[in-house]
Amino acid sequence: MSDGRARTGAPEVVLAGGGTTARFDGQRLRIVRGATTWTMPVRAVRAAEATPGGGVRIDLSGDPGDGRAARHGLGAGVSIPSRNAHAARAFTEQLQQALSTTATAADGHALVLVHTRQRVPSPRVRRLAAIGVAVLAYAGVLGAVGWRGPEGAGIALAVTGWMGPAGAGLLFFCWVRLIRDLVALRRRGITVSGRGEGTVRGFGGNVFYFRRLGYRTVDGEEFTRVESRGSVGVGTLGVGPVDVTYDPLDPRTATGPLSFHHVAVTLFLVLTGLVVLLVWAGALLYALAG
C-alpha cells in the first residue's frame, strides 16, 4: 500500500477513470483494476501520451506478441480514460519526464509484477449474510415444528415467530445501551464534581436525552462534552454543577446521577422484552407438546 509520497520526495500522482487507477511515484507505476494490481518500473514503459478523449495511453516496451503480455494481462499497454483533462495532462507530464531520464528496457513485459488480492467480504456484508442465514434457519426450524405440532401450532408460530428474536433483541439492547455501563460504573466508578454542558437527543426520537458532561479526573485529565451513559427526561436543562462518576479504566465512560426517567424507561423496556419472550415461548411449547 502506497503512503502517497514518491521515493524521490515528490508527491505521488494519481489518475483514475474507467474502473482503473494509476499511481506514479517517480520510479514505479502501479495500475489497479478491480482486485488486480500491476507494478512496473519506469524503464518498462516505452511511451506515455494523452489520448484525444482526454485520457492517457501507456505502452510497454518490447514485443507483446511473445506470450509475456498474455501472462500479465495488460497486452501492449493500458488506456486510462479520464474526464479531467488537467489531471490526465499532469499525470502524463510526470511520467514523460521520468521516461526522458530513464533508459528503456528491451522487454518491459518481463518486468511487470502482477498481484491479485483475494476478495474478502466487508464486515457489514458478513454480518448481513450471517443474519440472513440465521433468519432462514430460524424460519426452517419453526416451519418444521409447526408442521409436526398439533392443529393450529403452525398458525400460532407464524403469528408469534417474530416475537422471539424481537424480545431477545430488545433485552440485548437494554443491557448493552442502558444497563451494562451503569453496572460497571457502580462497581468501580470514581465520583468527582463536574458540570453539565447541555443535553443531546439520543436514539428513540424524543424518548432518550443524555447530558453532556465536563469533569476532571483524580489524575488531572480534563474531559468535556462527554455523553452521559444515563439518560434524563426531555425537560431537563442539563446545565450546571453535577456529580460525575467515571470509569478509571476508561475515563470517557461516565454518567451523572441516575435519573427516574432512565430507571422507568429501562424497566418498561425490559418488562416488554420479557413479556414478548414469554408469549413466544408459550406458543413454542404448545407446538412442541404435540
Side-chain angles (χ1 to χ4, degrees), residues 38-249:
W38 294 267
T39 304
M40 65 202 74
V42 176
R43 60 194 183 97
V45 178
R46 179 180 61 81
E49 57 184 12
T51 62
V56 176
R57 171 68 186 182
I58 301 170
D59 291 318
L60 302 180
S61 63
D63 182 9
D66 62 0
R68 290 192 177 96
R71 285 197 293 274
H72 62 59
L74 282 179
V78 59
S79 294
I80 306 171
S82 176
R83 296 182 179 179
N84 188 334
H86 296 285
R89 183 169 58 252
F91 186 90
T92 305
E93 290 174 353
Q94 288 291 320
L95 189 51
Q96 288 175 342
Q97 182 179 353
L99 289 173
S100 66
T101 59
T102 305
T104 303
D107 186 2
H109 297 279
L111 302 178
V112 177
L113 299 178
V114 185
H115 173 70
T116 302
R117 69 178 184 274
Q118 184 179 3
R119 291 185 179 272
V120 179
S122 66
R124 183 173 182 270
V125 171
R126 291 198 296 268
R127 284 195 298 270
L128 291 176
I131 291 172
V133 171
V135 169
L136 291 176
Y138 178 68
V141 171
L142 287 186
V145 172
W147 180 266
R148 298 179 63 87
E151 185 178 355
I155 297 176
L157 289 177
V159 172
T160 62
W162 62 272
M163 291 184 171
L170 182 56
L171 292 177
F172 180 76
F173 164 80
C174 290
W175 168 250
V176 170
R177 190 61 181 86
L178 302 175
I179 301 174
R180 181 179 60 184
D181 287 335
L182 295 180
V183 171
L185 288 168
R186 182 177 179 83
R187 186 173 68 249
R188 62 172 180 259
I190 298 174
T191 301
V192 295
S193 59
R195 61 193 178 278
E197 300 177 339
T199 59
V200 59
R201 184 166 61 182
F203 46 85
N206 293 323
V207 178
F208 290 99
Y209 282 79
F210 297 89
R211 276 195 182 97
R212 290 199 180 275
L213 303 172
Y215 54 95
R216 183 191 297 270
T217 69
V218 294
D219 297 325
E221 192 173 3
E222 188 81 22
F223 291 93
T224 60
R225 298 183 65 80
V226 174
E227 187 175 310
S228 174
R229 298 301 179 176
S231 65
V232 294
V234 62
T236 302
L237 183 60
V239 178
V242 64
D243 287 341
V244 177
T245 302
Y246 70 90
D247 187 345
L249 302 182

